[in-house]
Structures are given as C-alpha cells and as structure tokens.
Amino acid sequence: MTGPSDRTLIDRFLEMMAAEAGAAANTIAAYRSDLSLASAVLDGGLAGAEAEALARLADEWRALATPTVARKSAALRRFFAFLRDEGHRADDPGVALPRPGATRPLPRALSHADVDQLFAVVAERVAAANPAAADLRLAALVELLYGSGLRATELVSLSRNAVAPDRPYLIVRGKGDKERLVPLSDRARAAVAAWRVHVPAERAYLFPSGRGHLTRIRLYQLIKALAADAGIPPDRVSPHVLRHAFATHLLAGGADLRALQTMLGHADIATTEIYTHVDASRLVELVTTRHPLVDLPGRRS
C-alpha cells in the first residue's frame, strides 16, 4: 500500500479515538500496543493487510484469553473502519476478525430536555443584535446533527451548496460511497442560510477550515463546549450522541424502522434495530395503556 506509513496512520487513528470517541488513556495505550504489534508481524504491514492475513493472525490468538482477543480484534476492526472512512482504503478487511462474546452496546441517549438545553444556548447566541459567525456556524452544525441525523464526517464535508433553500432534504454521500436522502427542516435551512453568508463563494465546503473543511475533531470539541455551556456533562454529548438522539426521538414519536434505516444510511436493518431497545419506558407505557386486556374487569394489576 502506498501512502502514509503504519505508524503515521496509527497515530492519526489514536488521535481520533482520544478526541472524537473520548477513549480513555488506558484504552489508547492498549490499542497502540495491539496495532503496533500487528503491524510488526504482518507481512507488508497493517494498513495494507488483506482479510486472509488477518484471519491467519486471528488464528494465532486462540491461546489468548477471550477478553484479550476481544480487545485486539476491536482495535484492528476500528482501525480498518477508520482507514475506509478516511479514504485510505476502499474496503474493510476487519470483517475477517473474530468477535468473541460480542454484544452490541446500547447507544447513549439524550432526553428531549437535554436537547432543549443545547438549543436554548444556541438560540440565545444567535438572537444577539450582531451574532458572531462562529455562533451561526454552531447553530447550523447542531441543527443538521440533530435534525437530520448526519454522521460527523458527512456533516463536515458537505459542499457549500448542499443545502438548497427550497428543498426539504439533503443528498448525502455516506459509507460505501452510497447516496441517500435525509430530511432537512425549515429551521436547519434557515440556520444554514444565516451561516452561509459568511462562507466565501469560492470555498468548496459549507464548513470550511484552512484549505479544506472543518475536522471531525474540531466538531467534537465544539459540541463538547456547547454541552458544558448548557449545563450537561460534556462526556454525555458528542456528534454521534446527537445522531443517536435523532434516531431514538424519531422512533419514540412513531417513526417507521425501515424509514429510519434509510435516513441513517444503515446497510443492515439490525444496526437500526438497536434503537428499539433504548426507550424501554415507552414500550412499557404502550402495553399498560394500549393492550386490549387493560380495561377488562378483574384483570391482574
């Protein structure tokens, strides 16, 4: 594989894990060790490894404890997903790695009150007589994250003219280079219009920075700072958590699971189904108030 070395790519990946995913120092150290070791033992290095080589590497882990295999496998899978998302690879060979005892964790969710607090801070800033451009940008970012459920990478890489003033949807190019339609609220269009006035016409991106666009890490930092200003523990909020909130709140409002799958850009409905487990209180309420036996005399309480 031509391009950056394994060491450079591992450093970039771990920087993303620390800043965007909020990984703990011990996790970062363990991932660095696992990735560096794999880089040393794989012929041709880690970044260019094929599925067959990774399968052979996994065979060598059989004598290790299950938690150790799970950690090593998770480190490599996340690394290859990162390479694909960043355009360093077109494929993801991490599918060849084992998932010992793997369980899909429930996503962290924000309540409607939490989201209201975030938007209240943003609204106060943009309501000023001469709002700062940075606050207008933040308003557009948050409206698109929560209102459209975009991934961080999809959001920061939007073209300058991606949002049309008369079109209630976005055409987004997501994972696997696949295009999809996502909803776009009137509020989001208004927020983008107010921000775009500050984006030079010659810039390619809606959220420019330097020679390119706003980075995911900087987006992460902006959302964390907003959470702190809204009185919400910053470790509870991130761009990905706002995407989760978009999904869980839509489901709680009665959205169709298949429609949500399309909006989120999930290739597998099983990925979307995780959101059905988040709002258990709504399921309990549905059974206790809507079940046909609820109003029958002598029913058990």
Side-chain angles (χ1 to χ4, degrees), residues 144 148 158-172 180-190 192 196:
L144 289 171
S148 299
L158 286 174
S159 67
R160 187 183 187 280
N161 296 315
V163 177
D166 58 347
R167 192 173 62 197
Y169 60 86
L170 271 173
I171 300 175
V172 176
R180 72 181 191 279
L181 297 181
V182 297
L184 193 60
S185 68
D186 291 341
R187 283 177 38 154
R189 291 204 301 271
V192 168
R196 192 161 46 201

Side-chain angles (χ1 to χ4, degrees), residues 64-130:
L64 302 177
T66 299
T68 300
V69 175
R71 189 200 68 229
K72 287 178 175 290
S73 186
L76 268 64
R77 286 200 312 273
R78 296 191 74 164
F79 177 68
F80 284 114
F82 168 79
L83 293 185
R84 183 194 59 199
D85 290 347
E86 293 296 308
H88 296 292
R89 292 188 66 126
D91 63 338
D92 183 355
V95 294
L97 294 165
R99 295 174 177 264
T103 57
R104 190 185 295 271
L106 292 178
R108 289 178 293 174
L110 294 175
S111 67
H112 287 283
D114 292 330
V115 173
D116 287 345
Q117 286 177 250
L118 295 174
F119 277 102
V121 172
V122 173
E124 182 178 358
R125 293 179 184 178
V126 300
N130 293 296

Side-chain angles (χ1 to χ4, degrees), residues 230-250:
I232 302 171
D235 62 355
R236 291 185 53 218
V237 187
S238 71
H240 205 55
V241 168
L242 283 174
R243 173 173 156 89
H244 287 322
F246 163 83
T248 55
H249 295 171
L250 273 181

Side-chain angles (χ1 to χ4, degrees), residues 15-283:
E15 181 182 68
M16 181 277 294
M17 286 289 294
E20 183 175 327
N26 288 343
T27 300
I28 295 296
Y31 273 26
R32 182 180 295 279
S33 175
D34 293 333
L35 294 171
S36 298
L37 181 59
S39 175
V41 302
L42 286 168
D43 292 337
L46 177 61
E50 300 299 332
E52 294 80 4
L54 294 180
R56 291 194 297 271
L57 178 64
D59 285 339
E60 298 177 6
W61 294 344
R62 291 189 178 187
L64 302 177
T66 299
T68 300
V69 175
R71 189 200 68 229
K72 287 178 175 290
S73 186
L76 268 64
R77 286 200 312 273
R78 296 191 74 164
F79 177 68
F80 284 114
F82 168 79
L83 293 185
R84 183 194 59 199
D85 290 347
E86 293 296 308
H88 296 292
R89 292 188 66 126
D91 63 338
D92 183 355
V95 294
L97 294 165
R99 295 174 177 264
T103 57
R104 190 185 295 271
L106 292 178
R108 289 178 293 174
L110 294 175
S111 67
H112 287 283
D114 292 330
V115 173
D116 287 345
Q117 286 177 250
L118 295 174
F119 277 102
V121 172
V122 173
E124 182 178 358
R125 293 179 184 178
V126 300
N130 293 296
D135 291 330
L136 294 174
R137 181 183 66 175
L138 180 62
L141 289 167
V142 176
E143 289 285 357
L144 289 171
L145 274 174
Y146 178 69
S148 299
L150 298 181
R151 297 181 177 96
T153 299
E154 295 167 348
L155 174 60
V156 297
S157 61
L158 286 174
S159 67
R160 187 183 187 280
N161 296 315
V163 177
D166 58 347
R167 192 173 62 197
Y169 60 86
L170 271 173
I171 300 175
V172 176
R173 189 176 299 276
K175 288 187 176 181
D177 209 31
K178 295 179 179 178
E179 287 188 342
R180 72 181 191 279
L181 297 181
V182 297
L184 193 60
S185 68
D186 291 341
R187 283 177 38 154
R189 291 204 301 271
V192 168
W195 156 244
R196 192 161 46 201
V197 172
H198 298 272
V199 182
E202 68 273 12
R203 297 306 297 263
Y205 296 105
L206 179 59
F207 302 106
S209 180
R211 295 182 179 179
H213 57 68
L214 188 73
T215 66
R216 292 184 303 172
I217 292 174
R218 183 57 183 147
L219 173 64
Y220 180 92
Q221 293 169 340
L222 291 171
I223 298 302
K224 291 287 186 184
L226 173 61
D229 291 343
I232 302 171
D235 62 355
R236 291 185 53 218
V237 187
S238 71
H240 205 55
V241 168
L242 283 174
R243 173 173 156 89
H244 287 322
F246 163 83
T248 55
H249 295 171
L250 273 181
L251 274 181
D256 176 77
L257 195 62
R258 286 289 182 183
L260 184 60
Q261 177 191 6
T262 299
M263 287 186 281
L264 292 173
H266 289 160
D268 188 348
I269 189 66
T271 306
T272 316
E273 284 174 343
I274 189 172
Y275 294 104
T276 64
H277 302 293
V278 175
D279 194 3
S281 61
R282 177 172 176 266
L283 300 181

Side-chain angles (χ1 to χ4, degrees), residues 3-15 32 35-36 39-40 45-47 79 82-83:
S5 66
D6 275 1
R7 181 175 179 178
T8 297
L9 291 171
I10 289 171
D11 285 343
R12 291 178 185 172
F13 166 69
L14 295 176
E15 181 182 68
R32 182 180 295 279
L35 294 171
S36 298
S39 175
L46 177 61
F79 177 68
F82 168 79
L83 293 185

